[in-house]
Structures are given as structure tokens and as C-alpha cells.
Amino acid sequence: MSTQSSNILRGLKALSGPFPTWDTQSLPENPTELFLDWMKLAIEMKVKEPHAMTISTVDSDGFPDARVLIIKEAKDDSFYFATGLESQKGQHIQHNPKVALTFYWPELGRQIRIRGIAEDQGLEAGAIDLRRRSTIARAVAMTERQSQPLENQEQLEQSIGMQEEKIHHDPDIVTPNWRLFAVHAQEIEFWQADPDRKHTRYQYILHEGQWTHQQLWP
């Protein structure tokens, strides 16, 4: 069975292209500008959910964990997402704010890797983000039970229903545990795939408030 599985996996094609060209002769000094340019192209090329990113954290035992979230904003070298403080990622960040973000768009053969420090933006920023969400999304967040064991589906539906009722009676209600985080980037790498595996990689590094960049080996 394992041999069959290996044959199936090795038979899958990867990075077959064609991919867009990347003019590296005119790289911007600021990586956020390049990030937004790449995001704009991904949207124009109709990449499905281009704003989805993998966020990696580390728990108190030093074990890494990763999951996919939606980026909310990118500005001033910071990248924003929201989560509950009671969630696993919320707890990890409170213990160790060093995180990594990864974007991958296979249609374009492009990947962006970001390493930085996650900073809680406070109660009001979290409240504003939560109120912008749909009623059902707010209700799920307000159950404050993410990642905890679930006894049965009925328990979930009842809890969500209770929160929806609260929102119906008080449209401005929020939970103080919902927070918006800004990841202040320290390093950002842009990776353009090549079908021959001669990938193009440029790494930006922040040092004393200034960005520098260098090309990396594939």
C-alpha cells in the first residue's frame, strides 16, 4: 500500500507553468509595496482566495503549529489578522509572539514568506473587526470554544443560537477576547517558481528600520 501511495505522489506534476514573468531589475525598496503588487496580480488572475495565508506559531513546548487564515490588511510593513485569545493560536502568540505567514498561489507559481512579531491591537480594534463580520461568524466567535472538544453537533448549534440571539438584541455586542493582531515584518521572501527548478528568490531583511534585499539560491 505504501509503495502504491508513493507511486501516486511521485507521479503528480508540480510547477509545470506557464508562470508570469518577474522583472527583478526594478525591485521596490519596501517589500510591502511588492507584496501588494503581487496580491493585485493574483486578484486580477482570479486566483481563488488569494488572501488566504498559513500562519505558523509555536506552543509553550516548542512545537510548531500551522493553520490557514484570511489576511485583513497590509500596510506600513505590518500584516493583519484576527482571532480569539482563547484559541490555540491566540494562546501561542501570548506565550511567543514570533510568527510566520505564508502565501502560496500555485496558478502563478508564487510564494511569499513573512516572519515577524505579532502585536495585539487592543480591545477596540478587535471589537471593530468582529462587528464587521457576518452574524453567524460573530456568533461562532462569541462561543469562545475554538479548538475545545465538542460533545455533539447539537451542543454547537445551541451555543451558536444563543449568541445569535444576543446579537439580535444588542447588535453592538462583542467579546473582549476577540482581537486584531498586526504582524510587524522582520523578513519577507518572494519566491517565483521555474519549471526547471531554477527558482528566483529575493529576501528582504529589516535592520535598524531600513530594508535591504538580496537574491537567494534556488
Side-chain angles (χ1 to χ4, degrees):
M1 184 66 180
S2 60
T3 301
Q4 181 182 6
S5 175
S6 177
N7 290 338
I8 292 173
L9 293 175
R10 288 186 175 276
L12 295 174
K13 294 185 180 299
L15 306 179
S16 56
F19 299 129
T21 58
W22 179 19
D23 180 11
T24 60
Q25 300 302 311
S26 56
L27 292 176
E29 293 300 319
N30 188 287
T32 305
E33 181 182 342
L34 183 55
F35 172 87
L36 294 173
D37 286 344
W38 277 30
M39 177 64 75
K40 181 180 178 181
L41 178 62
I43 294 171
E44 292 174 351
M45 298 297 291
K46 301 188 183 304
V47 172
K48 189 172 184 179
E49 298 185 354
H51 54 335
M53 65 182 183
T54 298
I55 175 169
S56 302
T57 57
V58 178
D59 69 14
S60 57
D61 294 322
F63 279 93
D65 203 352
R67 74 291 288 166
V68 178
L69 292 183
I70 297 298
I71 188 173
K72 296 299 178 181
E73 191 172 9
K75 63 178 183 179
D76 301 327
D77 302 331
S78 296
F79 301 81
Y80 294 77
F81 70 92
T83 189
L85 292 178
E86 81 290 343
S87 68
Q88 286 185 344
K89 55 187 171 295
Q91 294 177 36
H92 291 178
I93 291 170
Q94 292 175 75
H95 170 75
N96 183 349
K98 295 178 180 178
V99 303
L101 310 176
T102 307
F103 294 82
Y104 179 54
W105 304 315
E107 299 94 330
L108 305 181
R110 288 185 170 182
Q111 178 178 241
I112 302 174
R113 300 168 57 213
I114 301 168
R115 297 208 300 173
I117 308 297
E119 181 184 34
D120 186 344
Q121 300 301 285
L123 284 169
E124 186 58 28
I128 291 173
D129 178 85
L130 190 58
R131 292 191 185 105
R132 288 175 174 174
R133 294 169 181 256
S134 67
T135 299
I136 185 64
R138 288 175 62 187
V140 172
M142 289 173 60
T143 62
E144 300 185 320
R145 299 289 296 276
Q146 188 179 33
S147 301
Q148 297 181 22
L150 177 64
E151 295 179 6
N152 52 61
Q153 190 68 20
E154 183 180 359
Q155 180 187 34
L156 173 64
E157 298 298 339
Q158 288 180 348
S159 181
I160 293 175
M162 290 174 59
Q163 300 306 323
E164 286 183 306
E165 189 68 18
K166 289 181 182 180
I167 294 171
H168 175 74
H169 289 293
D170 182 2
D172 290 328
I173 191 171
V174 295
T175 167
N177 281 328
W178 189 259
R179 298 301 180 88
L180 182 71
F181 285 89
V183 177
H184 304 304
Q186 306 293 310
E187 297 179 15
I188 304 180
E189 181 191 318
F190 296 85
W191 181 90
Q192 175 66 70
D194 178 80
D196 294 327
R197 303 314 192 255
K198 294 183 291 186
H199 313 309
T200 302
R201 300 172 60 188
Y202 275 87
Q203 179 189 55
Y204 283 78
I205 299 177
L206 184 65
H207 179 68
E208 297 183 351
Q210 296 294 321
W211 287 103
T212 61
H213 61 264
Q214 60 186 350
Q215 187 171 5
L216 303 178
W217 280 73

